[in-house]
Amino acid sequence: MTRLRGGAVAAVVVLTAVAGCTTDKTKGTSGPERSGGNGAVMSAADSLAVKGRAPKTGYSRARFGAAWADTDSNSCDTRDDVLKRDLKDVKTTGGTCKVTYGLLEPDPYSGKEITYKRGASQVDIDHVVPLSDAWQKGAKYWDASKRIALANDPLNLIAVDASTNRGKGDGDAATWLPPNGAYRCTYVATQVAVKKKYGLWVTDAEKAAMKKVLAGCPDQKLPSGGNPTKAPERFTAK
């Protein structure tokens, strides 16, 4: 899996974002790569279908499969994969999968430096496009395989400060943006990339909010990569 911020880079490109956006890096083999400039990301935002938010009826986390399924078949669950990707000075126990310690320096959402300790974690793994938001904008009509893929796609996942993340809920770009303004370009570009990859729609207000943020970072790249949009057949959801 790759990382959206600092760290070693393997088989991916390094993103340098300017005009109010932080410098981002990716690493690993299955997470987001970056392509194009603001023209690509703005074009992708323009291409997203616009519809109203559908009712939340029928939504549950279980509709996206068991939490942190090992869909990339590397024998580590998705949560630990993302922790290893996004934290610094990582320590594990019982092999290389279970992360027990690491540093989030800095947290992309708040800009704070946070220490991760297993069992007393102040770190969440956030779905950049919330699953409930996805459900209301197309995922309700997908088969289980595609929903499981979205829930475990490294393109849509990031380690963040838990307390800041709890304030996000299932908000889209029109209702919630990271308090750390320097990260908003990357955050919105990632939402655009995920929604384009999976064919999710946006509301009028959401698209307007996305384009307003992206207008302030003309060199912002469009993330790409991540896992396939279909999970292996051994995974099921309710």
Side-chain angles (χ1 to χ4, degrees):
M1 299 183 67
T2 61
R3 106 178 254 161
L4 299 176
R5 295 166 294 102
V9 180
V12 289
V13 260
V14 176
L15 162 66
T16 302
V18 297
C21 297
T22 57
T23 298
D24 277 283
K25 298 180 182 179
T26 61
K27 79 171 187 177
T29 58
S30 61
E33 299 176 352
R34 310 285 167 168
S35 60
N38 185 266
V41 70
M42 194 67 83
S43 177
D46 277 329
S47 74
L48 297 175
V50 176
K51 300 181 185 180
R53 181 184 287 269
K56 194 174 177 179
T57 307
Y59 169 76
S60 73
R61 176 62 179 83
R63 300 302 296 271
F64 292 80
W68 313 129
D70 178 24
T71 56
D72 63 359
S73 303
N74 70 349
S75 300
C76 299
D77 71 40
T78 302
R79 176 178 171 80
D80 280 308
D81 278 338
V82 176
L83 289 172
K84 287 192 294 182
R85 185 194 71 187
D86 289 355
L87 301 181
K88 301 175 183 177
D89 299 333
V90 169
K91 296 179 181 178
T92 61
T93 186
T96 60
C97 283
K98 186 177 291 186
V99 177
T100 57
Y101 175 88
L103 302 174
L104 192 57
E105 297 181 342
D107 161 48
Y109 284 2
S110 68
K112 299 185 296 185
E113 295 186 357
I114 300 170
T115 299
Y116 170 84
K117 294 182 179 179
R118 199 175 193 97
S121 177
Q122 299 179 56
V123 175
D124 279 353
I125 305 302
D126 183 42
H127 289 95
V128 180
V129 173
L131 300 185
S132 174
D133 179 71
W135 178 263
Q136 296 171 79
K137 295 172 182 174
K140 176 179 181 178
Y141 307 104
W142 298 348
D143 60 29
S145 177
K146 189 173 180 179
R147 290 197 294 267
I148 293 167
L150 173 67
N152 294 280
D153 193 331
L155 182 66
N156 192 38
L157 297 170
I158 187 170
V160 295
D161 170 51
S163 61
T164 304
N165 186 47
R166 305 299 164 80
K168 173 182 174 179
D170 63 357
D172 59 25
T175 58
W176 191 91
L177 291 169
N180 178 18
Y183 191 71
R184 289 179 179 177
C185 292
T186 302
Y187 176 80
V188 169
T190 302
Q191 287 196 327
V192 170
V194 171
K195 293 208 165 189
K196 181 175 178 61
K197 177 178 178 178
Y198 283 87
L200 293 164
W201 70 72
V202 293
T203 64
D204 275 318
E206 181 181 5
K207 180 177 279 192
M210 286 174 162
K211 294 179 70 172
K212 180 177 180 180
V213 170
L214 294 173
C217 38
D219 290 334
Q220 178 64 46
K221 307 295 195 246
L222 177 68
S224 62
N227 288 348
T229 58
K230 180 179 176 63
E233 292 182 0
R234 69 180 182 275
F235 295 100
T236 60
K238 295 181 180 179

